[in-house]
Amino acid sequence: MPISRQARPNIVFIFIDDMGYADPACFGNPFVKTPNIDRLAAEGIKLTNFYVNSPICSPSRVAVTTGQYPARWKIHSYLNSRAGNKSRGMADYLDKAAPTTAKKLKAAGYATAHFGKWHMGGGRDVDDAPLPADYGFDESLVAFEGLGDRLLINSKNSSTRLGHGNISFCKRWEKTEKYTDRAIDFIRRNKDKPWYVRLFPNDVHDAHVPLPGTEEPWKAVSKNPWQHKFFAVLKEMDRQIGRLVDEIDALGLAENTLIVFTSDNGPTDWPKYYRDGSGGPPGFTGPFFGRKWSLFEGGIRMPFIARWKGRIPEGVVDQSSMMGGIDLSPTFCRLADVKIPGSEKLDGIDCSAVLLGEPAARPEPLYWQYGAPHAVLKPGKLEYQSPSFAIRDGHWKFLINPDGSGACLFNLITDPGEQVNVLELEPARVAMLHKKLGRWAEGLGFSFDRAALPSMPQPGLAVLVNRQLLRFNNHGVESPGKEGVMEFSGEAWLDLPRSAAPKVAGGKWLRVRATIHPKSPNGVIFAHGGNKEGYSLYLKEGQIAAATCVSWKRTVISAPLGDGVRQVEFFWQKSGEMLLKVDGKLVSRGKAPGFLGTDPGDSLQIGSDLIQPVGDYHAGNAFQGTISGVSFNYSR
């Protein structure tokens, strides 16, 4: 049905931070009732195949803001400090030249506002990001990861020193209420003209901090202590959404207001949630596998609701139409009768008919990239760590790493939980999807080996790197059942490909720790790089040794190790100072000619050093014995 200029709807876009597919009761929450969110679903349409375009906040937000894949603007992961952004090849903020829904609606006479989390530039040490007004918003109130007027919970936050707007403070549990207050006030003041309001709460992003005492009733509902505070903040957020919807209805605007509700990525998955045996992280993904930071369904398939009284049929559940975050901008513009200049070249498509109750197949696939070299955050559960590229075309989903490894093909109709990899049963389909994905990746500037043959995922083991579990390819290492204990036969090793290895060059320091019980006087414990740039911790003739290579210059320090189980540690600072410890005691020190100027060219290996050796040993030098408690930390 055509949209007349007189019938142009107001638009409310509610974008939740870290809400899982099944966190709303109407999508399957087993513990918490969310009556206000559920009311929107009962009075509108639910889409069960809605996807955001990244499993992490900043790029997901860029996609829904612009209608384009976020990589077009060099935003592939969360925006951090300048150094953190640079190390991952990212911009510091969304270019103000980017097309946005707000700019187009504002030019067409809409009043525009954004209240809530921003995270598309500004914050930490980035003080020159454009303000929300530069993207088309008449009014805004953001959090610490943005500039302009903002609401902070900590007076010591670096945002207080950045200027650019008025700063006010509140308790964390008060934030969404204040954002909602601003949204209601804005709507009241603009009720006689069309308006576009974005409400972006971040209550269900951890750490979950509810009004003290409100978590107590939930202790009788769940034995998982992580869930108690989560349930409390989820319930309060639902209440605030209800306040906004009630006000729209009370103003008589329900029949001229489109309300869209969804989330920016799946629920949290820090490693800490799995360490205490309490039941895992809070938040629910329903039937889907994976969580935040994963390209499996639980990281990118989101709950989606749209209500427009009198225009969207009530109580509809669309289980066939596929829609993405990039589709929201062209869809909103179509419903607002706003033309999109062809020069903008949006990646998204108009899905207005789908929202109005007419299911349709998406004519183009959806694509994703998340992972090295731009992303460092990984799920805390090893199985949820996905390959770094994905495509969904019809009901088929294909995932792969840029070197061809880790390839998976799933039929999401018969296997929505992504448990049966049919890669080897569908060679023609794999070849076709691989070709499409490679063409898309190269078109956006990603490194992608289109000639590499897709190969099945290999067994992996997890190693803790800067509080993140990274999946190492396992070449024969045995794990006998004790957590973190690995047995090396003298012919086995773990390998983290160069493309996935941490970017440590230009940092302040790095530290390698492990507990070892060697059965041979020689062998590499940990090695990253080669004889040009690299570092390693190893055994040589019964001594513990550490080596660094900086611009082809090797420095080695060593000390007697002793028999039995030993805790060993190697610490290397930007000044070049090298420290070696055994059982917590300093046993040797030395000084390299500085620190790594460029990242090592070889992979990161545990139990061997196969290519160009970092230390004074021959390539390979496999370890024999057990290694446990491996951790690698570094500071940029």
Side-chain angles (χ1 to χ4, degrees):
M1 184 184 300
I3 306 297
S4 68
R5 185 165 296 279
Q6 290 73 27
R8 291 186 304 169
N10 308 307
I11 301 173
V12 177
F13 179 26
I14 303 172
F15 203 42
I16 310 302
D17 195 10
D18 285 16
M19 170 173 271
Y21 178 89
D23 282 338
C26 56
F27 279 84
N29 192 310
F31 295 109
V32 182
K33 301 299 182 184
T34 51
N36 295 294
I37 297 172
D38 297 354
R39 171 188 161 196
L40 289 176
E43 296 176 350
I45 188 171
K46 287 169 50 180
L47 302 185
T48 63
N49 284 273
F50 177 83
Y51 290 89
V52 285
N53 298 103
S54 177
I56 198 168
C57 46
S58 296
S60 181
R61 290 160 191 274
V62 167
V64 300
T65 298
T66 64
Q68 296 178 314
Y69 285 110
R72 296 198 183 280
W73 301 100
K74 295 181 66 177
I75 297 178
H76 320 87
S77 185
Y78 78 103
L79 288 169
N80 198 348
S81 65
R82 295 183 189 277
N85 296 333
K86 182 179 180 181
S87 71
R88 295 169 294 146
M90 287 180 43
D92 285 329
Y93 47 78
L94 176 63
D95 192 318
K96 66 179 180 181
T100 72
T101 310
K103 286 180 186 177
K104 290 186 277 285
L105 295 188
K106 179 180 172 69
Y110 273 69
T112 57
H114 173 97
F115 304 116
K117 182 173 177 176
W118 181 257
H119 214 170
M120 294 189 294
R124 295 177 173 87
D125 62 348
V126 178
D127 60 355
D128 59 346
L131 305 185
D134 293 309
Y135 302 96
F137 293 101
D138 296 322
E139 296 183 21
S140 64
L141 181 65
V142 303
F144 81 97
E145 291 164 319
L147 297 179
D149 293 348
R150 49 202 184 273
L151 191 59
L152 305 181
I153 59 175
N154 183 357
S155 61
K156 297 181 180 179
N157 190 287
S158 60
S159 179
T160 60
R161 301 187 293 272
L162 299 182
H164 303 293
N166 296 318
I167 297 175
S168 53
F169 296 90
C170 70
K171 302 295 186 182
R172 177 156 180 153
W173 59 83
E174 298 173 327
K175 287 178 69 176
T176 294
E177 181 176 15
K178 291 184 179 297
Y179 291 141
T180 304
D181 287 344
R182 284 291 302 272
I184 289 172
D185 176 66
F186 182 86
I187 291 169
R188 286 172 177 169
R189 287 186 282 110
N190 291 280
K191 61 184 175 61
D192 296 324
K193 63 184 296 188
W195 43 262
Y196 172 52
V197 171
R198 305 203 317 180
L199 179 64
F200 284 22
N202 68 336
D203 307 65
V204 295
H205 185 298
D206 58 0
H208 304 118
V209 185
L211 175 69
T214 56
E215 74 275 16
E216 288 300 318
W218 299 105
K219 293 180 180 180
V221 174
S222 169
K223 294 181 180 179
N224 183 341
W226 298 111
Q227 291 182 340
H228 303 153
K229 292 181 179 181
F230 170 73
F231 291 161
V233 297
L234 175 61
K235 194 71 175 176
E236 173 60 15
M237 187 184 72
D238 178 76
R239 187 178 76 86
Q240 295 302 329
I241 290 171
R243 289 181 59 224
L244 179 64
V245 176
D246 287 345
E247 184 64 23
I248 290 169
D249 293 355
L251 291 171
L253 299 176
E255 295 184 353
N256 199 35
T257 300
L258 169 67
I259 303 174
V260 167
F261 170 96
T262 189
S263 170
D264 70 341
N265 51 248
T268 185
D269 204 53
W270 292 107
K272 68 179 182 180
Y273 292 120
Y274 297 96
R275 292 180 191 151
D276 59 4
S278 58
F284 303 100
T285 62
F288 303 122
F289 187 72
R291 298 174 69 90
K292 185 177 181 179
W293 308 309
S294 172
L295 294 181
F296 293 124
E297 294 289 279
I300 55 177
R301 198 192 292 207
M302 297 296 109
F304 184 94
I305 301 168
R307 189 198 85 162
W308 184 359
K309 299 281 281 186
R311 294 302 304 273
I312 294 177
E314 294 192 1
V316 172
V317 179
D318 183 342
Q319 296 181 308
S320 61
S321 302
M322 183 173 69
M323 186 175 175
I326 53 173
D327 300 330
L328 289 176
S329 187
T331 298
F332 290 163
C333 288
R334 173 67 185 90
L335 293 173
D337 194 31
V338 171
K339 294 190 180 301
I340 299 173
S343 60
E344 290 189 352
K345 296 181 180 179
L346 301 190
D347 296 306
I349 61 174
D350 168 23
C351 292
S352 57
V354 171
L355 293 197
L356 295 176
E358 300 176 17
R362 195 176 193 279
E364 297 292 332
L366 285 171
Y367 300 91
W368 293 267
Q369 188 279 337
Y370 178 80
H374 310 295
V376 296
L377 296 178
K378 301 288 186 182
K381 188 172 184 178
L382 189 64
E383 292 86 347
Y384 292 162
Q385 294 185 13
S386 68
S388 56
F389 285 88
I391 174 176
R392 177 166 177 184
D393 193 1
H395 59 268
W396 293 95
K397 184 172 173 194
F398 176 64
L399 303 96
I400 194 169
N401 288 313
D403 62 359
S405 66
C408 304
L409 178 68
F410 301 109
N411 182 334
L412 294 178
I413 297 297
T414 60
D415 181 27
E418 297 173 293
Q419 297 300 298
V420 182
N421 186 357
V422 296
L423 184 85
E424 296 177 333
L425 303 179
E426 297 274 352
R429 193 179 306 279
V430 167
M432 179 266 292
L433 293 174
H434 190 224
K435 182 177 180 180
K436 286 186 177 182
L437 187 53
R439 189 184 303 123
W440 173 82
E442 290 180 354
L444 268 67
F446 291 116
S447 176
F448 191 95
D449 187 354
R450 292 171 65 180
L453 293 177
S455 59
M456 293 282 284
Q458 298 300 309
L461 282 175
V463 174
L464 197 63
V465 176
N466 268 24
R467 296 179 296 169
Q468 292 287 296
L469 288 176
L470 296 188
R471 175 191 288 271
F472 281 66
N473 296 325
N474 186 1
H475 303 274
V477 177
E478 297 289 335
S479 184
K482 294 182 180 179
E483 185 175 358
V485 177
M486 299 174 289
E487 292 185 354
F488 293 80
S489 62
E491 297 180 349
W493 75 95
L494 300 178
D495 175 72
L496 187 67
R498 178 187 177 187
S499 62
K503 306 299 180 183
V504 295
K508 299 176 182 178
W509 54 264
L510 63 81
R511 176 187 288 114
V512 180
R513 289 172 172 159
T515 298
I516 63 172
H517 190 184
K519 295 181 180 179
S520 171
N522 296 289
V524 171
I525 301 164
F526 191 101
H528 185 192
N531 56 355
K532 178 184 178 182
E533 304 282 346
Y535 50 97
S536 71
L537 179 64
Y538 59 101
L539 299 178
K540 184 175 183 181
E541 298 177 359
Q543 294 210 334
I544 185 69
T548 61
C549 290
V550 179
S551 299
W552 304 104
K553 295 180 180 179
R554 176 183 289 149
T555 306
V556 178
I557 58 176
S558 63
L561 177 64
D563 296 329
V565 177
R566 289 287 183 268
Q567 293 178 330
V568 294
E569 176 183 325
F570 168 52
F571 184 72
W572 185 19
Q573 298 186 72
K574 184 177 182 179
S575 64
E577 185 173 17
M578 301 164 55
L579 304 177
L580 192 59
K581 294 182 179 180
V582 174
D583 295 335
K585 296 180 180 180
L586 181 66
V587 293
S588 184
R589 67 193 310 161
K591 192 161 186 177
F595 200 69
L596 296 171
T598 59
D599 281 301
D602 295 349
S603 62
L604 196 161
Q605 298 174 32
I606 297 175
S608 189
D609 187 359
L610 287 173
I611 307 176
Q612 290 292 338
V614 179
D616 52 349
Y617 47 79
H618 295 293
N621 195 23
F623 182 87
Q624 185 175 7
T626 63
I627 301 176
S628 62
V630 179
S631 69
F632 173 59
N633 296 85
Y634 59 95
S635 175
R636 297 203 57 83

